[in-house]
Amino acid sequence: MTSSAVAPVSTSSAGASPASPAAPPAGAPLRRSRNRLGWLGSEPVLWVLGLLLVPVVWHLYSMVNDDKLIVGPLDVARAFGDLTASGELFTAAQSSGTVLVTGLVAGAIPGLVVGILVGRFRLLDLVVDPYINAAFATPLVAIVPILIVALGFGVQAKIVIVAMFVFFPVAISTATGVREVPRDLVELARSFCAREYTVWRDVLIPGALPYIVTGFRLAIGRALIAVVVAEFSTSVTGLGFMILRYSRRFRMAEGLVPVVLLMIVGFVLFWALKRVEKRLSVWRATP
Amino acid sequence: MATISAQSVQKSFDSLEVLSRLDLEIQDCEFVSILGPSGCGKTTLLRTVAGLEKATSGQILLDGQPVTGPRPDLTLVFQNFRLLPWRTVEANVGYGLRLRGVPKAEARERVQQKIDMVGLRGYEKKYPYQLSGGMQQRVGLARALAIDPKYLLMDEPFGALDAQTRELMQEELLSIWADSPKTVMFVTHSIDEAIVLSDRVVVMEAKPGRIVDDIRIPFERPRSAVDIRTDPVFAELRQHMWGLLRHEDRPVAAGGAPGE
Ligand SMILES: Nc1ncnc2c1ncn2[C@@H]1O[C@H](COP(=O)(O)OP(=O)(O)O)[C@@H](O)[C@H]1O
Ligand SMILES: [Mg+2]
């Protein structure tokens, strides 16, 4: 498998590395000093200001624009409150969340296993590689209608769609990472009479971890897309369906509520993944 | 009994003959050094004995049994350390014990003892990238010694150490070997080291790799490195081995290797 698309994003691992002699003393600014901005320049303040920037611009735009279809952030916030109070948002989120989590697991575990097998065994790689690459290159959205005809409109169909979106990036990234693990270390484990699964646990998975995390990051993004796509075409529940229903009635504020929620979910998942990665990569020298 | 017997072992990589019908007998608890120029097949020989490489023809017997793969009572200390970068010193040293299912408490004790022995107390929680090459090499050594194997194969295990650490490690190795005797194959580039440590020194030549001499070292044990070095027999042995190795295109260092 060739996939420059999934090379791991170099992560700044654990900031606390006791033995990195090249690192500058703590607190020494690498970039230009921000002090000229005074208290405005402190990082948390800038962070909050940055976060407010887009909503404020959006709000101003919706004020000066008379178009009823252009809603502002406050309208969306109010709709968010209403839909939460009525329980509608929760029901939809629960339905989508189930599909998301199940689909992620159902796609990631086989993806991990296939990725390791393909990365580990060259002959298998030779056989499977064209299929995986072809499938990765195919816009999977295109086969969603076909899948639905085959699997029906139920939850299973949605889970399969999400799992499919998740499987390929995880498998391809993992295989790339496993191929990068030094053969020497595999042999070391073998020389201590390690069994195959021990080699996976002790050598292949930790060694491929940066790539696996990159695969998961791609997979989370694609899973969120897959949930919405699946719900657009199959269901009468879930966040995707909520978007459809309200936007068809030109209730833009309500229609945007699930979008905002999906955004928050994506953000939280990415953040959690980053935390996990940071914990797991203390062994790497900080660049 | 932990005997090693190589019977007309021949090993080729494609058309390159690396070991040519090599015969070698090692007795139970014998300490045998292998001396020879780079590329003469020392590593290949150890790997074949360890079951990581299959002889093209001929066979290796350990205690009379043909080698078919890695075995739990044999450890190979690799020339290039091979620490798991994602594990601490402690976890690397304990790796073999863990794979063998040694109870945690016992493993911890043995790990600490070996860490102390190689002089890395205080570095237990460090990761390999935080260590110098010489320290990494000592972790690899401690990992092998921790499982107290019947067969201990070492591939230039002190190559990355400075002269002083190297001598300390030689002493430690001798005392371990005296406390818990094992059959040792020890590859080195250093003639002095080979003489000080071994019962026998096997000298190899390259192209194709073969044994050109097998020299018994007569010094009594326990030995004192200082006494040995001043013994006239030592000078004689040293001279003899030099003569054997000089013909090779690559010179062999007589003393220690470059430091850490
Ligand atoms: N896996 C391999 N494939 C091809 N050639 C190899 C392989 N391993 C070793 N060799 C060759 O075998 C010869 C002996 O290597 P080695 O056993 O590492 O020698 P030494 O340890 O004595 O320096 C060298 O010429 C080396 O290039
Ligand atoms: Mg070698």
Side-chain angles (χ1 to χ4, degrees), chain B residues 17-20 40 205-210:
Chain B
E17 189 177 39
V18 175
L19 295 176
S20 163
C40 73
E205 256 180 36
K207 290 172 195 154
R210 62 197 183 281

Side-chain angles (χ1 to χ4, degrees), chain B residues 13 16 18 36-45 53 79 155-156:
Chain B
F13 293 107
L16 178 74
V18 175
S38 291
C40 73
K42 305 181 296 294
T43 297
T44 306
L45 176 61
E53 209 79 72
Q79 194 170 354
D155 198 351
E156 302 188 28

Side-chain angles (χ1 to χ4, degrees), chain B residues 1 8 21 28 50 103 112 120 130 134 136 146 190-191 206 223 233:
Chain B
M1 292 285 277
S8 58
R21 296 184 58 81
D28 188 34
Q112 190 59 53
L120 289 178
Q130 298 170 309
Q136 293 185 28
S190 158
I191 292 177
R223 293 176 178 176
V233 178

Side-chain angles (χ1 to χ4, degrees), chain A residues 172-247:
Chain A
I172 292 180
S173 279
T174 304
T176 308
V178 166
R179 261 185 242 110
E180 299 269 309
V181 175
R183 307 290 303 172
D184 276 9
L185 294 181
V186 174
E187 193 184 62
L188 165 85
R190 252 183 16 95
S191 85
F192 279 107
C193 304
R195 275 176 238 152
E196 182 64 18
Y197 84 86
T198 325
V199 174
W200 288 30
R201 184 196 63 194
D202 295 344
V203 180
L204 297 179
I205 293 176
L209 199 72
Y211 288 86
I212 294 174
V213 169
T214 304
F216 273 67
R217 193 176 297 130
L218 288 171
I220 287 171
R222 287 167 58 105
L224 288 166
I225 295 173
V227 169
V228 175
V229 167
E231 285 172 351
F232 277 176
S233 9
T234 61
S235 68
V236 288
T237 54
L239 296 171
F241 181 69
M242 237 176 123
I243 298 170
L244 272 191
R245 198 156 54 105
Y246 283 110
S247 54

